[in-house]
Amino acid sequence: MNPVIQAQLREFTTSASLTKDSQDTNFEIYSIFSIINGHLGESVDAYDVHLKGDEFGLDGIAILIQGELVQNLQDAQDKLSVIKSPSIEFIFFQSKSSEKFDYGDISKFFDAIIGFFSGDLCGESDVIDELILAKNKIYEKLTGKRNPKISCYYVTTGNYEKPTRIEKLKRDFRRDLEKENIFDISTIKIEVSAHPGPSIS
């Protein structure tokens, strides 16, 4: 990890009282915070988005209804009952504190996202199961309305130089998402990049 990101991470973990967690775990939470609160401008607690276990291929999932975080079926029901034609977004996170962009890890991340929507990820954890139930309720209520947005962020501490194999993997994954026909395809976002850094943290 380069010293600039390490210093930012140290400051974040101290201010957020995360000093008891491992560096890898803290980096996962910091990456979520930097993206969702800085880059996307949403007021969401990154710790609530972070997955605490060893879920397959994922460090965090945020389901937003009108900019508010949904964590379970009840949350989804409550928000959908009072908001007509809401803005909905699914955001997925995976972070690695190393500088490498590993093809296998990125492929695993993409597979986990597809599995979340197909149901193949059911049973991975209680948190995942609750989020899948919330997702199902959202689609049940969205018949004939605009499809949700989807954003996928894979982050490391290195510089991403767009290797051919990974760029092809991203294109194939985008096509897979488009084929699902359950997202607003004009807003599909797939980012494989270095940690966002101080400008959005």
Side-chain angles (χ1 to χ4, degrees):
M1 185 181 298
N2 75 54
V4 174
I5 293 177
Q6 197 160 34
Q8 294 165 10
L9 177 60
R10 190 181 306 113
E11 181 180 354
F12 173 77
T13 55
T14 300
S15 65
S17 301
L18 300 176
T19 51
K20 292 182 180 180
D21 292 318
S22 69
Q23 179 174 272
D24 286 346
T25 296
N26 289 340
F27 181 72
E28 292 168 5
I29 299 169
Y30 179 43
S31 296
I32 293 169
F33 170 82
S34 297
I35 293 166
I36 205 165
N37 291 80
H39 186 55
L40 299 179
E42 302 289 356
S43 181
V44 172
D45 189 335
Y47 200 77
D48 291 335
V49 174
H50 182 249
L51 298 171
K52 312 302 188 290
D54 296 318
E55 287 84 356
F56 177 85
L58 295 167
D59 292 332
I61 301 174
I63 302 176
L64 303 181
I65 297 180
Q66 215 68 16
E68 295 185 7
L69 187 66
V70 167
Q71 294 182 276
N72 51 52
L73 175 59
Q74 189 62 55
D75 283 352
Q77 290 174 326
D78 290 346
K79 289 176 173 58
L80 292 169
S81 67
V82 297
I83 304 173
K84 293 183 178 180
S85 190
S87 170
I88 295 170
E89 183 169 7
F90 295 95
I91 312 173
F92 297 88
F93 303 89
Q94 175 75 319
S95 304
K96 299 292 181 182
S97 58
S98 72
E99 297 184 359
K100 292 172 56 180
F101 289 89
D102 184 84
Y103 181 94
D105 286 339
I106 297 170
S107 179
K108 187 177 176 181
F109 174 53
F110 293 164
D111 286 346
I113 295 168
I114 294 295
F116 178 82
F117 289 99
S118 70
D120 289 346
L121 218 57
C122 283
E124 188 67 23
S125 71
D126 290 343
V127 174
I128 292 283
D129 288 350
E130 277 292 339
L131 291 170
I132 288 175
L133 289 173
K135 176 264 298 180
N136 292 343
K137 177 57 66 174
I138 286 169
Y139 281 106
E140 177 187 314
K141 296 290 187 180
L142 282 184
T143 306
K145 300 178 182 178
R146 58 181 171 172
N147 284 338
K149 300 177 182 178
I150 181 170
S151 300
C152 314
Y153 295 92
Y154 183 94
V155 175
T156 81
T157 60
N159 294 318
Y160 184 63
E161 299 179 352
K162 298 185 177 182
T164 302
R165 289 181 71 226
I166 294 178
E167 286 297 294
K168 182 180 183 301
L169 185 65
K170 286 172 59 182
R171 290 193 299 271
D172 290 345
F173 177 55
R174 177 179 291 276
R175 281 195 292 269
D176 289 342
L177 292 178
E178 291 174 352
K179 287 177 184 176
E180 294 288 328
N181 200 33
I182 58 174
F183 308 112
D184 178 352
I185 63 172
S186 68
T187 62
I188 292 174
K189 182 179 293 184
I190 303 164
E191 290 198 9
V192 176
S193 63
H195 187 273
S199 63
I200 67 168
S201 62

